[in-house]
Amino acid sequence: MNKIAFRGMTGIDLARAIATGEASAAEVVEACIAHIDASDGRINAFTGKSYRRARQEAAAVDARRARGDALPPLAGVPYAVKNLFDMEGEVTLAGSTVNRTHAPAAQDAFLVAQMKAAGAVLVGALNMDEYAYGFTTENTHYGPVRNPHDLSRIAGGSSGGSGAAVAAGQVPITLGSDTNGSIRVPSSLCGVWGLKPTFGRLSRRGSYPFVHSIDHLGPFADSVQSLALAYEVLQGPDPLDPGCHVTQIQSVGSLARGVEGLRVGLLGGYFHENATPPAREVAMLAAKALGAVDLVEWPDAALGRAAAFIVSASEGGSLHLPDLRTRADEFEPLSVDRFISGALQPASWYLRAQRFRRIYRDRVNALFQQWDVLLAPATPVSAPVIGTEWLDINGQQQPCRPSLGLLTQPISFAGCPVVAAPMWPTGTGGMPIAVQIIAAPWREDLALRAASALQRAGVAHLKPVEL
């Protein structure tokens, strides 16, 4: 197998080729490594490369096949993880320099272990906003991640390396985290598939936290099929993570069912007012493809976003307070002031925001008595140029970095599962914007079915890049 063939194949294609003997896992990982080494000087998606481990894991897959053993579902498929996931023997940087003094991880994060059990091959760790506090991955310590579709533009954040690596064809699957939009924003700006599962669906054990009460982990992928398969293998009860609330694995079922029998609505109001015309266009195109005709109001979206800001700042600042007191000069200049201000917030603000969250979640969940799937743009704009400070959103000047989460924060604060589907509107110079496919808590299967329908209709898909 050569590099060109590797780049033309999805994660599902690679798994099939290895399972049938068309290619060996060793051949696939060497093609993957060659492409990363040839392209990452321009993208800057990787902060660490675990090639020795990858070759060992690929060799183990090939040995299993040579013995005639049944192969697990992702056998030989390369992937990479945001550098807040523990990788055994490696220091978990979480986008910082402060963490360089930490001891190497004693074992893999729970989700990395799940991927290994599924046969996937880990090739490295990915760039991110420091401690996941940001939407742009303009990391001062490790350099900005560049958007593969236009190297002058951001990849989004905080999982910017995870989105860019898939968009650049470096790996077919990556893992990231999403507190306020950190999977969906890079998915939108880089034009790849992303899944933020239900809050509490996947174990977070072995990942560096940002906001314990909102953090989610999830996959990025090059197709809905790859995304769904990654989601299935990542699942599993974890009694050692009190934030993991599942007791059994959810089967995605048949993606071919699409939206048959589903009630699909389009979010208006806040999600229309805070989206530019191209972002509105992707929502309308998705609605048309899925047969959604009714506009739906998401309750208290602006209040949900405001409360999410308070909770994020307070928990994030409290987590890092010891280092902020003694090593503030080593923090990312783009986030250190927000961490400090969060640590100084009155406790009463935090308590009020969390009390509101319970009411808010109940109001949101009531929507799903009438609707199965809801649609909204993922970002108000396509990817801004690196260094952009202000966005024009329908004539209003908004600060760039926090405003990229305008449309994602209200949804993650309620804990709903979301698939970000890559679309390509007019008026963006060929840059993508995703649509969010939102389902009721614990119904990732419905969001993935709707995503599959958009993919089959040709409305949502990746576009190859030449680097």
Side-chain angles (χ1 to χ4, degrees):
M1 171 171 288
N2 57 39
K3 183 171 65 175
I4 295 175
F6 166 76
R7 292 192 62 196
M9 300 175 75
T10 67
I12 290 291
D13 293 335
L14 291 170
R16 289 172 180 160
I18 292 166
T20 60
E22 178 186 342
S24 69
E27 289 171 330
V28 169
V29 78
E30 292 303 331
C32 173
I33 287 170
H35 180 43
I36 293 169
D37 285 346
S39 61
D40 205 54
R42 282 158 287 175
I43 303 299
N44 196 34
F46 283 79
T47 53
K49 297 169 182 176
S50 55
Y51 292 168
R52 180 179 179 184
R53 170 174 173 159
R55 290 179 170 119
Q56 290 173 342
E57 291 181 343
V61 169
D62 288 334
R64 290 181 68 169
R65 188 179 59 186
R67 293 193 302 267
D69 295 346
L71 295 183
L74 286 175
V77 177
Y79 78 107
V81 300
K82 188 175 183 175
N83 71 25
L84 56 67
F85 287 84
D86 286 352
M87 298 165 54
E88 183 179 357
E90 303 291 339
V91 174
T92 305
L93 295 172
S96 74
T97 55
V98 171
N99 281 24
R100 288 177 183 171
T101 59
H102 290 191
Q107 61 184 19
D108 289 335
F110 182 90
L111 296 190
V112 175
Q114 292 290 94
M115 291 292 281
K116 183 176 182 179
V121 173
L122 181 59
V123 297
L126 298 162
N127 205 347
M128 58 180 283
D129 284 297
E130 183 182 65
Y131 295 128
Y133 206 172
F135 283 126
T136 63
T137 317
E138 296 169 288
N139 191 302
T140 301
H141 308 308
Y142 302 101
V145 178
R146 297 183 177 274
N147 195 305
H149 296 283
D150 181 342
L151 298 178
S152 71
R153 298 180 182 273
I154 65 168
S158 61
S159 310
S162 301
V166 174
Q170 294 174 322
V171 284
I173 296 169
T174 59
L175 302 186
S177 67
D178 189 312
T179 303
N180 292 303
S182 291
I183 288 174
R184 291 160 290 160
V185 170
S187 294
S188 182
L189 302 189
C190 290
V192 302
W193 297 93
L195 170 63
K196 182 202 77 63
T198 304
F199 179 73
R201 168 71 77 180
L202 300 181
S203 172
R204 299 176 299 183
R205 181 159 54 91
S207 65
Y208 200 91
F210 171 28
V211 183
H212 279 288
S213 68
I214 314 178
D215 287 347
H216 308 63
L217 304 179
F220 296 74
D222 55 12
S223 69
V224 175
Q225 290 77 13
S226 298
L227 190 72
L229 182 54
Y231 164 64
E232 287 192 331
V233 306
L234 289 170
Q235 293 182 64
D238 182 8
L240 298 180
D241 177 6
C244 182
H245 305 308
V246 299
T247 57
Q248 59 187 8
I249 295 172
Q250 179 193 59
S251 172
V252 171
S254 174
L255 296 178
R257 292 179 62 193
V259 293
E260 175 189 352
L262 300 186
R263 302 162 296 174
V264 184
L266 174 62
L267 292 179
Y270 174 94
F271 292 90
H272 180 82
E273 296 158 7
N274 289 290
T276 58
R280 295 173 183 173
E281 180 186 335
V282 301
M284 293 297 296
L285 288 171
K288 182 178 180 180
L290 298 181
V293 295
D294 293 329
L295 284 177
V296 181
E297 291 293 319
W298 186 276
D300 300 319
L303 287 175
R305 181 173 182 247
F309 265 126
I310 291 169
V311 172
S312 298
S314 183
E315 290 194 31
S318 177
L319 177 67
H320 296 289
L321 186 55
D323 286 327
L324 289 166
R325 284 173 169 154
T326 60
R327 306 174 68 178
D329 58 331
E330 298 177 55
F331 276 70
E332 166 66 69
L334 294 174
S335 61
V336 64
D337 290 346
R338 286 178 289 150
F339 276 127
I340 292 172
S341 64
L344 297 174
Q345 280 184 171
S348 60
W349 292 12
Y350 177 81
L351 293 173
R352 289 180 64 188
Q354 288 288 24
R355 282 197 294 267
F356 168 73
R357 187 182 185 187
R358 291 193 292 269
I359 300 167
Y360 176 70
R361 188 172 56 236
D362 289 343
R363 291 174 179 170
V364 168
N365 289 345
L367 285 179
F368 295 102
Q369 296 174 11
Q370 295 179 276
W371 306 99
D372 298 299
V373 170
L374 297 170
L375 306 173
T379 50
V381 296
S382 60
V385 171
I386 292 169
T388 297
E389 296 293 338
W390 296 92
L391 299 177
D392 184 327
I393 301 177
N394 304 324
Q396 297 290 321
Q397 292 296 303
Q398 303 273 15
C400 175
R401 294 179 183 93
S403 297
L404 289 170
L406 270 167
L407 307 178
T408 54
Q409 280 181 285
I411 297 165
S412 46
F413 197 59
C416 298
V418 187
V419 172
M423 298 179 63
W424 306 86
T426 57
T428 62
M431 299 299 289
I433 297 177
V435 65
Q436 296 184 87
I437 305 170
I438 309 152
W442 315 111
R443 295 312 307 264
E444 287 86 348
D445 58 324
L446 301 186
L448 287 162
R449 279 174 51 188
S452 178
L454 289 182
Q455 181 178 262
R456 288 200 312 275
V459 175
H461 56 88
L462 270 66
K463 282 188 177 180
V465 296
E466 292 299 327
L467 297 170

